[in-house]
Amino acid sequence: MTNKCELLKLSFEHAVMKLQSQREDLAIIRNRASIVAAMTGLIATFFATAIGSEKLGNSIVGAAFLGFSLEAILLFSLFAGSIVMSALVVANSFEFTFGFNTKKMAELSIELKPRDFFRRYSEDGDWFFNDNEKMINQAQNQLLWAIMLGFAQILPWLMLL
């Protein structure tokens, strides 16, 4: 292999490592989303228990919408929003690419010179990385919203107390 080919191979290996790192980052984000969903449920459970079932039933009833009080509607909206945002992160709602099609790679390794092969897959790896970054940022934004909505439900719970 020529020196240039070795550099292209190094570039390809670096692209593979970056994609693997993204896979690990996404797993961490999804784990955090699961924790946020659990936290949202714990906050609701804590306050529902603190209020008591009889007082809670009276506090939720109102004339704002469909027989619910304004506080209850706000509470349900924040709770549901947090759970939905967490679920969107945990569920595979994005099409990530963390690797290459090995069958296609094997076919191209016969057709292409090593230099062209590594250049092509290095460029593809960078494209996958950039595309994944956009989706990971969206997942992080959804996680941030899940956290904010989960904690924001404390305010209507306090109003119901």
Side-chain angles (χ1 to χ4, degrees):
M1 258 195 261
T2 65
N3 193 25
K4 188 172 185 175
C5 188
E6 289 175 12
L7 292 174
L8 288 169
K9 182 179 178 185
L10 181 65
S11 175
F12 167 73
E13 290 169 355
H14 181 68
V16 170
M17 287 188 318
K18 288 185 342 182
L19 292 172
Q20 190 62 29
S21 176
Q22 280 183 326
R23 176 180 281 162
E24 294 166 6
D25 291 345
L26 181 61
I28 291 168
I29 291 169
R30 287 182 171 157
N31 288 337
R32 288 179 181 162
S34 298
I35 292 168
V36 170
M39 174 224 41
T40 299
L42 285 173
I43 290 171
T45 302
F46 172 79
F47 279 103
T49 304
I51 291 174
S53 61
E54 188 174 316
K55 185 177 178 193
L56 180 61
N58 293 337
S59 299
I60 290 177
V61 175
F65 182 72
L66 295 175
F68 292 107
S69 67
L70 187 59
E71 294 87 357
I73 293 170
L74 180 60
L75 172 65
F76 295 148
S77 298
L78 293 170
F79 177 82
S82 179
I83 296 296
V84 166
M85 287 295 176
S86 295
L88 286 174
V89 175
V90 172
N92 197 7
S93 58
F94 298 106
E95 291 277 335
F96 291 98
T97 306
F98 295 116
F100 300 100
N101 182 331
T102 54
K103 183 178 178 183
K104 179 100 172 158
M105 286 179 79
E107 291 170 2
L108 286 176
S109 71
I110 296 168
E111 295 175 21
L112 299 175
K113 295 177 186 175
R115 169 183 74 181
D116 296 332
F117 176 84
F118 289 126
R119 176 182 290 123
R120 179 177 180 163
Y121 276 98
S122 294
E123 290 170 358
D124 285 352
D126 281 342
W127 189 87
F128 292 153
F129 179 83
N130 292 331
D131 192 49
N132 288 344
E133 277 299 301
K134 292 173 192 170
M135 292 181 286
I136 287 172
N137 285 336
Q138 289 176 330
Q140 287 175 325
N141 287 336
Q142 289 173 335
L143 179 61
L144 179 62
W145 274 104
I147 292 168
M148 291 188 309
L149 294 172
F151 278 111
Q153 73 171 320
I154 293 173
L155 295 174
W157 277 116
L158 292 174
M159 288 188 271
L160 290 174
L161 279 173

